[in-house]
């Protein structure tokens, strides 16, 4: 039995599907109020028989503050994919994010002790990467630098990684993946699922860029790492590094919208000053923080060489990935009208 946390998220659901396609029995965690119909619907984007796969999932409600509930969920489980996490760059979510991402990981790993769990995959993020290599790229050796300013999200993911490494040092077979911005279908209003609505709804974008990867690639690599018993390492999972303006143009052109205006870093710093003065009055200004401005104005090259070499893996090109998932986004909107 395989246990997948965060199984209603944009990545967790596809890891579940990938495992089911490979004949695995899957137990999947969700919150009590999770919309399983939305998950079921999203499977239609990825397979011709979505109900057949969906109906094989054993769903369990899990409170990550309840160790006994976690221990119950792990009964008969020998592999865990830990995808559950809070993703936010809004200061109001910091406390919840630290608790969910760090304490939730700590509790899950504690529950693994004394269980049948032999393999554990932890989903981290490229947000934890600092320190460039000799090529001027970020890679798996780009360790987190606590002296630099980071978003609360990056800090929470770094500290949750530390929990996973501690379990690894104590004998658990652990692998860590660090995906870039995940492009997927469904879950359109949460986390990276907001990618398309963000580009559609905003007539502006930013000067920087990010590393992107298709959700299908992340799921396949995650499963193949554990299938091949590759432990004690972490792997960056990205397809290509792209500027926001390039993706915005692709999305907005397909939707019949004019090109987005690029907001410069200097203009964003004006917004940061406004945040200091008026953030209490205008909640949206709270997002204009120093770490957020640096994140959306920078364009770092993140290397995927290690995973390509390890698994001889070929990634879906970002343009092709955007086309596929944007088509699903458009069709989903039409169905709901």
């Amino acid at each position: 039995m395989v246990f997948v946390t965060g199984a209603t998220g944009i990545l967790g659901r596809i890891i579940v599907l990938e495992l089911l396609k490979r004949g695995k029995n899957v137990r999947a965690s969700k919150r009590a109020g999770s919309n399983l119909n939305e998950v079921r619907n999203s499977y239609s984007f990825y397979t011709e028989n979505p109900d057949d796969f969906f109906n094989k999932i054993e769903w369990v409600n899990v409170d990550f503050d309840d160790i006994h509930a976690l221990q119950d969920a792990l009964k008969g489980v020998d592999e865990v994919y830990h995808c559950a996490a809070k993703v936010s760059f809004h200061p109001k979510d910091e406390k919840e994010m630290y608790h969910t991402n760090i304490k939730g990981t700590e509790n899950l790993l504690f529950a693994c002790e004394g269980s049948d769990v032999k393999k554990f995959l932890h989903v981290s993020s490229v947000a934890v990467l600092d320190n460039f290599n000799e090529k001027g790229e970020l890679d798996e050796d780009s360790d987190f630098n606590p002296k630099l300013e980071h978003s609360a999200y990056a800090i929470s993911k770094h500290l949750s990684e530390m929990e996973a490494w501690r379990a690894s040092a104590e004998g658990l077979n652990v692998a860590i993946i660090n995906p870039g911005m995940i492009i997927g279908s469904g879950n359109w209003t949460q986390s990276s699922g907001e990618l398309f609505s963000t580009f559609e709804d905003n007539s502006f974008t930013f000067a920087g860029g990010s590393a992107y990867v298709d959700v299908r690639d992340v799921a396949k690599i995650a499963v193949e790492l554990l299938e091949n018993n590759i432990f004690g390492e972490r792997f960056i999972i990205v397809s290509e590094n792209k500027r926001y303006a390039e993706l915005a143009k692709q999305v907005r052109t397909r939707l019949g919208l004019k090109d987005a205006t690029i907001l410069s870093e200097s203009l964003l710093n004006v917004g940061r000053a406004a945040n200091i003065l008026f953030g209490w009055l205008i909640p949206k200004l709270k997002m204009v923080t120093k770490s957020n401005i640096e994140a959306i104005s920078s364009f770092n090259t993140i290397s995927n060489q290690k995973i390509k070499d390890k698994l001889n893996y070929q990634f879906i090109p970002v343009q092709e990935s955007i086309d596929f998932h944007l088509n699903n986004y458009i069709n989903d909107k039409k169905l709901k009208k």
Side-chain angles (χ1 to χ4, degrees), residues 303-321:
S303 172
N304 63 3
Q305 198 60 48
K306 182 179 177 181
I307 193 65
K308 284 169 72 176
D309 291 345
K310 194 75 171 183
L311 296 179
N312 192 27
Y313 197 86
Q314 296 297 313
F315 285 91
I316 299 168
V318 169
Q319 184 173 355
E320 182 182 322
S321 177

Side-chain angles (χ1 to χ4, degrees), residues 175-231:
I176 294 180
I177 59 171
N178 299 75
M181 179 78 76
I182 296 174
I183 308 167
S185 293
N187 208 30
W188 304 116
T189 61
Q190 293 181 6
S191 184
S192 57
E194 292 184 289
L195 181 74
F196 297 106
S197 61
T198 298
F199 283 133
E200 179 179 18
D201 296 342
N202 295 292
S203 58
F204 58 85
T205 188
F206 307 106
S210 189
Y212 294 88
V213 62
D214 193 286
V215 68
R216 293 166 291 178
D217 284 335
V218 185
K220 284 178 183 174
I221 288 170
V223 174
E224 286 181 21
L225 285 173
L226 291 201
E227 280 191 349
N228 287 285
N229 296 317
I230 299 169
F231 307 119

Side-chain angles (χ1 to χ4, degrees), residues 18-285:
E18 183 66 26
L19 290 163
L20 292 170
K21 285 179 177 179
R22 296 179 188 222
K24 302 276 190 176
N25 295 318
V26 180
R27 183 175 296 152
S29 83
K30 68 178 185 70
R31 291 192 178 95
S34 296
N35 184 353
L36 293 186
N37 283 331
E38 191 273 329
V39 177
R40 184 196 295 265
N41 176 65
S42 72
Y43 276 11
S44 64
F45 299 133
Y46 298 100
T47 177
E48 291 182 356
N49 45 345
D51 287 348
D52 290 350
F53 286 113
F54 183 85
N55 292 334
K56 291 177 180 177
I57 304 168
E58 179 189 334
W59 291 99
V60 290
N61 293 331
V62 174
D63 178 355
F64 282 83
D65 289 327
D66 186 340
I67 296 292
H68 295 298
L70 286 169
Q71 289 171 331
D72 286 342
L74 290 172
K75 286 178 179 174
V77 168
D78 54 6
E79 294 182 21
V80 174
Y81 291 81
H82 182 36
C83 307
K86 172 78 175 176
V87 182
S88 175
F89 296 94
H90 200 295
K92 72 177 176 62
D93 294 323
E94 285 186 15
K95 188 175 179 181
E96 180 189 352
M97 192 155 47
Y98 283 131
H99 184 80
T100 300
N101 296 356
I102 305 166
K103 192 64 180 176
T105 301
E106 179 187 349
N107 288 346
L108 178 60
L109 287 164
F110 181 80
C112 287
E113 294 178 14
S115 74
D116 294 329
V117 174
K118 296 177 179 64
K119 303 179 183 182
F120 189 99
L121 183 127
H122 177 70
V123 179
S124 185
S125 167
V126 294
V128 306
L129 303 175
D130 292 323
N131 303 325
F132 295 89
N133 63 21
E134 67 279 359
K135 294 181 181 177
E137 300 174 339
L138 294 168
D139 62 18
E140 283 80 0
D141 294 321
S142 299
D143 289 330
F144 186 87
N145 185 349
K147 294 180 181 178
L148 299 177
E149 180 148 355
H150 297 88
S151 67
Y153 173 69
I155 295 168
S156 75
K157 294 304 283 184
H158 165 66
L159 293 175
S160 61
E161 257 195 31
M162 293 303 99
E163 296 295 335
W165 286 133
R166 182 158 58 212
S168 176
E170 292 172 356
L172 183 62
N173 291 318
V174 174
I176 294 180
I177 59 171
N178 299 75
M181 179 78 76
I182 296 174
I183 308 167
S185 293
N187 208 30
W188 304 116
T189 61
Q190 293 181 6
S191 184
S192 57
E194 292 184 289
L195 181 74
F196 297 106
S197 61
T198 298
F199 283 133
E200 179 179 18
D201 296 342
N202 295 292
S203 58
F204 58 85
T205 188
F206 307 106
S210 189
Y212 294 88
V213 62
D214 193 286
V215 68
R216 293 166 291 178
D217 284 335
V218 185
K220 284 178 183 174
I221 288 170
V223 174
E224 286 181 21
L225 285 173
L226 291 201
E227 280 191 349
N228 287 285
N229 296 317
I230 299 169
F231 307 119
E233 299 181 71
R234 70 172 174 182
F235 295 88
I236 292 169
I237 314 296
V238 301
S239 173
E240 296 174 83
N241 302 275
K242 294 280 189 180
R243 290 196 178 273
Y244 301 124
E246 188 177 347
L247 264 67
K249 183 177 180 62
Q250 184 180 346
V251 172
R252 290 178 66 81
T253 299
R254 174 76 172 80
L255 294 172
L257 302 169
K258 67 177 183 179
D259 287 354
T261 302
I262 299 173
L263 300 184
S264 66
E265 187 172 355
S266 57
L267 187 59
L268 290 168
N269 279 317
V270 172
R272 185 177 165 222
N275 173 17
I276 295 168
L277 294 171
F278 305 112
W280 58 275
L281 184 63
I282 308 171
K284 280 192 174 181
L285 284 175

